[in-house]
Amino acid sequence: MASTEDGDDLGQALEAVGPRLRALRRHRDTTLAELAARTGISVSTLSRLESGSRRPSLELLLPLARAHGVTLDELVGAPPTGDPRIHLRPVTHGGITSVPLTRRAGGIQAYKMVLPGVTGHREPDPQTHEGYEWLYVLNGRLRLVLGERDMELAPGEAAEFDTRLPHWFSASGAEPVELLSLFGRQGERAHLRARPRARD
């Protein structure tokens, strides 16, 4: 469920699209009629988009971005590529904090995860699902159960496995564990180069 903060951010971004569209059109000294002819969007719809009385949609924004010669990110005011600031929203569920490192839908997804430390014995509860996962331990020690195997990974160690195999992992002791996770829902494997390619 989206948070109120997320909804506010989206609303503010959409409200800013209208003035940005008007400024782009005026900067290029283009009339609404000329823009309508180039995009196939009616003059009335363009006018309502610029005034903010019409909510922008992807179907409307794509031809407008092409017509104005800007990217979709520029049109909606997204942070530019190469912006050194990191805008990540951690999600905590069941005591595990996950920070998504990828934003595109589909394909391999990357996460940084922080698992809380545990005291006493914790009984594994292995799960299965479609996909393929790769784990790399950054800090702490990770207990990983794969099928009949029960193992411990130290910092710098990695594991990869088909998630249709029953699996479960947690911190192996009181110290929290930080790890990177690459996960492909369709069973994609991460293709990692073990060492730099030799120079000519």
Side-chain angles (χ1 to χ4, degrees):
M1 182 176 178
S3 67
T4 303
E5 183 181 348
D6 290 340
D8 291 344
D9 289 347
L10 177 60
Q12 291 172 4
L14 293 178
E15 287 174 8
V17 170
R20 193 172 287 113
L21 285 170
R22 183 183 293 112
L24 284 167
R25 181 176 60 80
R26 290 179 175 174
H27 179 72
R28 287 162 175 75
D29 198 24
T30 304
T31 67
L32 284 172
E34 290 170 339
L35 188 57
R38 291 172 60 187
T39 61
I41 302 171
S42 70
V43 170
S44 62
T45 298
L46 290 172
S47 178
R48 284 184 289 145
L49 281 172
E50 289 188 1
S51 68
S53 61
R54 172 70 184 265
R55 188 180 179 91
S57 66
L58 189 61
E59 290 75 13
L60 295 172
L61 293 177
L62 283 172
L64 285 168
R66 284 195 295 265
H68 289 306
V70 297
T71 66
L72 197 58
D73 281 354
E74 290 173 310
L75 203 56
V76 300
T81 301
D83 185 343
R85 295 170 296 175
I86 299 175
H87 306 274
L88 302 174
R89 294 185 182 277
V91 176
T92 301
H93 180 71
I96 298 175
T97 300
S98 299
V99 181
L101 303 178
T102 48
R103 297 181 178 180
R104 64 188 180 93
I108 293 178
Q109 304 295 309
Y111 301 89
K112 179 179 179 182
M113 303 174 71
V114 180
L115 313 182
V118 297
T119 56
H121 178 73
R122 186 175 178 188
E123 190 64 31
D125 181 23
Q127 305 289 325
T128 63
H129 51 87
E130 290 295 322
Y132 202 88
E133 189 158 6
W134 179 88
L135 302 175
Y136 178 84
V137 180
L138 297 169
N139 290 298
R141 302 185 77 85
L142 180 76
R143 181 185 177 193
L144 174 63
V145 174
L146 281 179
E148 299 299 319
R149 301 183 63 190
D150 191 335
M151 64 197 81
E152 186 176 273
L153 302 180
E157 291 188 310
E160 58 178 336
F161 52 91
D162 188 322
T163 55
R164 290 174 295 184
L165 180 68
H167 61 281
W168 176 90
F169 54 84
S170 78
S172 65
E175 182 185 1
V177 181
E178 294 182 46
L179 63 138
L180 295 177
S181 168
L182 299 182
F183 174 68
R185 293 188 182 279
Q186 304 305 319
E188 301 97 336
R189 296 186 62 167
H191 297 285
L192 304 173
R193 187 179 300 147
R195 55 183 178 274
R197 185 177 297 166
R199 295 182 179 178
D200 292 334

